[in-house]
Amino acid sequence: MSDLTSLLLKYSKAGPRYTSYPTAPYFHEGFREAEWLDELASSQDPARGISLYFHIPFCDTLCYYCGCNMVATGHYERVAPYLDCLEREMDTVSARVDKTRLVRQLHWGGGTPTYLKPDDIRRLMMAIRQRFTLAPDAEMGCEVDPRELTRDHLVALRESGFNRISFGVQDLDPKVQVAVNRVQPKALIAEVYGWARDLGFTSINMDLIVGLPYQNVASFAQTLDTVLDWSPDRFAIFGYAHVPWMKKHQKLIAESDLPDFATRLELQNLIHDRLSAAGYVNIGLDHYAKPTDEMVLAQRAKTLYRNFQGYTTHKNCDIYAFGSSSISQTRTTYVQNQKTLRLYEEGVMKDGLCVERGLRLTRDDEIRRDMITRVMCDLELDGAAFSAAWGIDCWDYFADALPDLQAQATDGLLTLENGVLRVTDLGLRFLRNIAMCFDRYLRQDIAPPGAVIRPRYSKTA
């Protein structure tokens, strides 16, 4: 057994991905529409940008591995009422937003945003522009499923101003694709990728997943060879989380068909080695980008940030999120919409909003969020600078984390010298474990408000 494999085994434990802190299980139903309206009214800082997120929950077919909030349906007539709801919700929020504030970032996720027909893509984008002020250089991204995608869809996205796109590739092995009910031949993906390049999308990401049924090192190496030949700008490579108790459709995947732990570790090593050899920079937490990519440049400049959309180059923005299950974020609050589509639509059409739960951060939450974010984005933290920023003694404040950090330093995951923490190249593989040292909720085993069970997270390896 290699030293790396031993470490991956040692540190494989359930833990958050820290797209927020506190994490979503700690949101509570005591924070609802009234609190969100108050926050909107009181948080209009002209110096802060805006990031808009739109959740399109519909998909043509069900991918068995999916952990997203989605609805697989062939009934396209469900789209128009949903777009009506998005517009109604935007009316409520935009009426309380300072019109001088610029939208720096816009993202459509799902589900499958390109489930929308081209004219409905244009309709939604027009509705957004009527209610918010988009910066001329706004970063505008959309997730797409290569299946059912036409060139007209991509034309509509480009005409609407989108400049970034993310393809859900997952795996190119036909046996794996059949097992997860997502059949998309290599030639199909190559064609739509070519369309995107021809139409001028300036940044293309590809999503891959490891841990799917029947995956092995030899077959996934072939997938990597092909996608690297296409040369996308970024990769996001996620570990499949098999949680059939939460996502009932995952029961359609036989647990016996999933790669064992040793194979998953080999797959992780393969990905790291192949992408690094191809010149991609490991941003951290399963994300890779070309050295000239804005994300890499932002990390070097220490302006990279992390939120519910993953890593982002837009740090000083409030997120206003629309649609079922979407999560908004200001400096001191998180707000999540109703996840059930019917309840979301009924609530929005009645009241203009449909908040299911939220959270107002304490000062301790803010301090710990900043620490976790800086470590995961900058890959280092100067204790003296952090102390000055927050008016605390950094390493005294986080004294309870020091024993774990020192153990990780012994294992080569980080260095902690002269008050400066630095993540090593090896430690990039263990970012979640490092961040967990600063998580008060995990350390003190605190249950979410009203919860009868503790949160259940995916494994870090």
Side-chain angles (χ1 to χ4, degrees):
M1 182 183 297
S2 70
D3 291 342
L4 175 58
T5 300
S6 297
L7 286 173
L8 288 167
L9 283 167
K10 176 180 178 178
Y11 285 101
S12 178
K13 59 182 68 177
R17 297 185 63 83
Y18 293 112
T19 51
S20 73
Y21 180 85
T23 54
Y26 296 95
F27 300 176
H28 61 85
E29 295 183 359
F31 192 110
R32 300 297 287 271
E33 287 85 358
E35 286 77 13
W36 181 218
L37 289 173
D38 287 346
E39 175 63 17
L40 283 169
S42 63
S43 61
Q44 294 305 309
D45 181 352
R48 284 178 67 80
I50 294 173
S51 175
L52 298 179
Y53 174 77
F54 291 82
H55 189 77
I56 312 298
F58 306 110
C59 293
D60 286 302
T61 56
L62 174 65
C63 299
Y64 297 161
Y65 59 79
C66 185
C68 300
N69 184 275
M70 53 77 65
V71 176
T73 178
H75 295 280
Y76 194 79
E77 65 272 15
R78 301 182 69 175
V79 166
Y82 188 75
L83 294 182
D84 291 342
C85 288
L86 292 179
E87 293 185 17
R88 176 100 162 91
E89 189 182 4
M90 277 193 282
D91 285 339
T92 304
V93 173
S94 63
R96 293 161 174 82
V97 172
D98 182 341
K99 296 300 185 291
T100 66
R101 296 178 64 194
L102 295 178
V103 174
R104 300 292 183 183
Q105 182 182 46
L106 178 147
H107 188 81
W108 290 6
T112 305
T114 49
Y115 182 92
L116 301 181
K117 293 179 179 178
D119 283 347
D120 282 327
I121 290 173
R122 295 183 177 95
R123 170 192 166 177
L124 177 55
M125 197 62 235
M126 182 181 297
I128 295 168
R129 290 184 181 278
Q130 288 171 344
R131 293 163 175 83
F132 295 96
T133 307
L134 271 68
D137 60 347
E139 176 186 301
M140 298 172 60
C142 183
E143 299 169 13
V144 304
D145 181 341
R147 304 169 300 167
E148 313 299 329
L149 184 72
T150 67
R151 187 181 177 92
D152 287 343
H153 282 93
L154 295 175
V155 168
L157 289 173
R158 286 294 290 134
E159 288 178 353
S160 298
F162 285 87
N163 45 39
R164 297 179 179 270
I165 201 162
S166 180
F167 286 103
V169 174
Q170 323 314 358
D171 193 303
L172 295 176
D173 187 302
K175 186 176 183 180
V176 175
Q177 292 184 356
V178 169
V180 298
N181 199 40
R182 189 185 178 95
V183 177
Q184 43 185 12
K186 179 169 63 176
L188 169 66
I189 299 173
E191 181 178 41
V192 297
Y193 179 83
W195 291 341
R197 286 297 190 201
D198 290 344
L199 290 167
F201 284 92
T202 56
S203 179
I204 298 179
N205 173 75
M206 285 192 172
D207 286 347
L208 302 176
I209 296 179
V210 292
L212 296 177
Y214 302 117
Q215 278 182 335
N216 58 66
V217 172
S219 67
F220 202 73
Q222 293 179 353
T223 289
L224 288 177
D225 286 344
T226 300
V227 296
L228 286 169
D229 281 345
W230 289 332
S231 190
D233 303 281
R234 298 175 181 175
F235 284 103
I237 307 181
F238 304 103
Y240 169 59
H242 191 62
V243 288
W245 59 88
M246 293 175 58
K247 299 294 179 179
K248 302 302 182 187
H249 58 263
Q250 290 187 353
K251 292 179 179 178
L252 296 167
I253 293 177
E255 206 159 331
S256 59
D257 294 335
L258 297 174
D260 60 21
F261 187 73
T263 302
R264 286 186 67 134
L265 295 185
E266 288 184 72
L267 289 167
Q268 288 186 27
N269 293 337
L270 173 74
I271 291 162
H272 179 78
D273 292 346
R274 286 289 181 90
L275 268 62
S276 297
Y280 287 84
V281 176
N282 185 351
I283 298 296
L285 205 59
D286 316 320
H287 285 69
Y288 296 80
K290 290 183 175 179
T292 55
D293 189 272
E294 289 179 1
M295 199 169 284
V296 175
L297 301 180
Q299 186 171 64
R300 291 172 181 162
K302 293 185 170 52
T303 57
L304 192 65
Y305 195 64
R306 188 161 175 80
N307 59 31
F308 284 99
Q309 294 158 44
Y311 285 108
T312 174
T313 58
H314 295 274
K315 178 181 177 182
N316 296 312
C317 288
D318 292 327
I319 301 172
Y320 299 145
F322 302 90
S324 60
S325 79
S326 63
I327 300 176
S328 299
Q329 176 181 341
T330 66
R331 274 196 179 109
T332 58
T333 61
Y334 297 113
V335 187
Q336 183 168 29
N337 279 351
Q338 170 61 243
K339 293 186 286 293
T340 303
L341 180 57
R342 177 182 60 82
L343 295 179
Y344 163 77
E345 291 180 332
E346 289 175 356
V348 167
M349 295 314 289
K350 178 176 180 291
D351 299 319
L353 292 174
C354 191
V355 172
E356 181 179 284
R357 57 192 187 135
L359 182 73
R360 184 168 293 281
L361 278 67
T362 65
R363 176 172 167 79
D364 179 71
D365 291 336
E366 292 184 69
I367 292 171
R368 291 177 183 274
R369 177 177 65 183
D370 192 31
M371 170 63 80
I372 289 170
T373 302
R374 297 278 53 84
V375 168
M376 296 189 78
C377 293
D378 298 348
L379 308 180
E380 66 178 26
L381 185 127
D382 184 329
F386 194 87
S387 297
W390 286 100
I392 61 173
D393 183 316
C394 174
W395 297 118
D396 181 61
Y397 194 92
F398 291 106
D400 60 344
L402 288 175
D404 286 341
L405 292 172
Q406 288 160 356
Q408 291 176 352
T410 299
D411 285 334
L413 311 189
L414 57 90
T415 62
L416 186 55
E417 299 171 351
N418 302 317
V420 178
L421 184 155
R422 288 188 174 89
V423 178
T424 64
D425 289 342
L426 175 63
L428 277 171
R429 312 283 288 275
F430 302 90
L431 270 183
R432 289 164 72 184
N433 300 91
I434 297 171
M436 286 161 64
C437 297
F438 305 103
D439 188 331
R440 182 177 71 92
Y441 295 85
L442 283 183
R443 298 192 68 84
Q444 299 181 15
D445 197 23
I446 299 171
V452 294
I453 60 172
R454 296 291 188 266
R456 301 175 77 171
Y457 301 108
S458 62
K459 289 288 188 70
T460 57

